[in-house]
Amino acid sequence: MSCFNANKTCWNCPAAVFKGNVDFRACGQSQDEIKAKLGDEGQIMIECARRPDLGYFEPSITFEQCPEWIEGEYGLQLKNMRVMILGMDGYLGWALALKLGRMGFQVSGIDNYTRRDTVAEKGAHTIVPIERMTERLHAASEIYGLNFNYRRMDIRERDHLAAFLDEVKPEAIVHYAEIPSAPYSMVDADHAIEVQDNNTLGTLGLLWLIKDIVPETSLIKLGTMGEYGAPLTGRPLFEGMFPADATLTWRGREWSLGGEITPRDPVSFYHVSKVQDTYNVYESCKYWWLRSYDVQQGVIYGVHTEETAKDPRLRTRFDIDEWFGTVINRFVAQAIAGIPLTIYGTGEQIKGFIALEDAMECMVRLITSPPEPGQYDVVNQVSGIHKLNEIAEIIAKVGKKHGLKVEIQRVENPRVETEVHPLEIVSRKLPRELGFNPTVLVEKEIDRVFTLLMQPELTSRIKEKAHTIMPKTRWTGEKKDSGVIEKYKPGEKTYGDHHGVLDTE
Ligand code: USQ
């Protein structure tokens, strides 16, 4: 077999418990360093938590050779791998739980329902109705025979989380338990503090628990492309760290930048929380040999996965309000409600995007290809890049096929963000090293969203909450409507001719 993870070895496997004759966790950052310290005499030994009969051995068995790694939908997967999803009730968490469960993973999870509460606090609701968790679990069991080990819990309740981690001993932890909204973090001081407290302190506490309870687990932590900002120099957005051949030249001297964390330039207090997480996760990999993928995900959109589409009780949430709706999801709802699509500012902003279903596939690939102990790795999880005004045109076009007359409006930008900028996103690891090939075309997913949301009961749920669509939360702290700059029909306007680059080669 020559799948993407066939040649990974015990070094990557969370079942391998390292038992070196030195305290290898204090040795530094690379296998080479450990080996150099151990000298010719030394050996790094492991014990396999799944195959204790093997005793101590050198960590060199490949996934392909190991009977615990079996063929799955995407490459090899660890038999009955225990995956804990933090934030299992959310837009992504629920879709991932179903997918993993269906693929044979043993799924556990927690949620404190913050997302339900914060959306309700803002007077909005999910357009796709979702069941209470008890009913969701019941439906997952009835339809797919799944038995999720779920607890209601806040990640900041460390005693409870410690007990749950100890009980489950997850071999991978997917960390979605953060408040994901830039505008929500800009409402006022209380909201900004709550977002940073939940996200940053929650993650920091989690890292200490992982160190003490499940140091071999791999942490797949959701970051965001917005950590990087959009540098006006056009410098490529590398995957977290500068590549080996990057250099800095200054006053006639030159340095290597290879391996250094690239600059971050977040665009809201929410995005700042993700940057702080980045450093906390990076440090804990360094101090304690934890392993992690930091997933810099682009703007997510869409509604469809095979499992969530199977039964209305399995659907995942879908928000369109100014705080929790992401731009594509919002635009489709606006088209249906007869509101001209709200482009903030010039609409020349370029963003990386990924559809829900593609994002879920990426997560499976990351779970089944864990980093090595001590390895902090970053992936840019993006499947396409688009300008906002192009997105509005695409949505208008697909809306027309559904019989809708769609208008577009440019409104004063409530955010502080660069509107005209170059953008080059490097996203090589997922397609080149982890075998990911996006399958969801943007028009296809937008079409699916229209089809679902145009069901009369969902259209009335959009109309019921139409007053939560127009932005009122400004980055200045003021609350006021954004004035309309211009309104136009699709195809009427010529846009700037700069475009972004998605570098997957
Ligand atoms: N925008 C509009 N009109 C709207 C809503 C948004 O023009 O009605 C613009 C925004 O100004 C921004 C872009 O669309 O330039 C994206 O905004 P968004 O609200 O869809 O996404 P964003 O605030 O960037 O945050 C979302 C998720 C967040 C995730 C992030 C990925 O809410 O959790 O981290 O996407 S990224 O943007 O790549 O950082």
Side-chain angles (χ1 to χ4, degrees), residues 179-183 222-228 267-268 270-271 274 296-300 320 322-331 334 341-345 347 349-353 382 388 411 413-415 417-418 469 471 475:
I179 299 176
S181 163
L222 191 68
T224 166
M225 282 303 295
E227 288 186 33
Y228 301 126
V267 288
S268 70
Y270 151 73
H271 288 93
K274 294 282 190 182
Q296 312 301 98
Q297 185 172 265
V299 185
I300 188 102
I320 59 154
E322 67 154 312
W323 304 278
F324 291 98
T326 53
V327 65
I328 292 184
N329 295 355
R330 276 168 58 72
F331 281 3
Q334 291 168 6
L341 313 188
T342 55
I343 288 179
Y344 295 170
Q349 300 93 312
I350 310 167
K351 296 279 167 187
F353 290 87
V382 165
L388 298 180
V411 299
N413 196 336
R415 306 183 179 199
E417 64 179 349
T418 316
I469 289 180
W475 264 224

Side-chain angles (χ1 to χ4, degrees), residues 398-443:
V398 182
K400 197 171 165 194
K401 281 199 224 149
H402 286 264
L404 297 165
K405 270 202 190 118
V406 183
E407 275 196 310
I408 302 173
Q409 59 183 327
R410 288 203 302 113
V411 299
E412 286 165 5
N413 196 336
R415 306 183 179 199
V416 175
E417 64 179 349
T418 316
E419 291 180 9
V420 183
H421 56 89
L423 193 78
E424 182 173 339
I425 296 177
V426 177
S427 177
R428 299 181 78 253
K429 290 181 197 165
L430 277 161
R432 299 188 61 84
E433 293 168 22
L434 293 150
F436 168 63
N437 216 337
T439 54
V440 186
L441 294 174
V442 69
E443 294 197 20

Side-chain angles (χ1 to χ4, degrees), residues 308-329:
T308 56
K310 185 92 176 164
D311 185 284
R313 290 171 296 162
L314 296 182
R315 283 268 177 218
T316 196
R317 59 179 309 120
F318 188 91
D319 297 290
I320 59 154
D321 58 86
E322 67 154 312
W323 304 278
F324 291 98
T326 53
V327 65
I328 292 184
N329 295 355

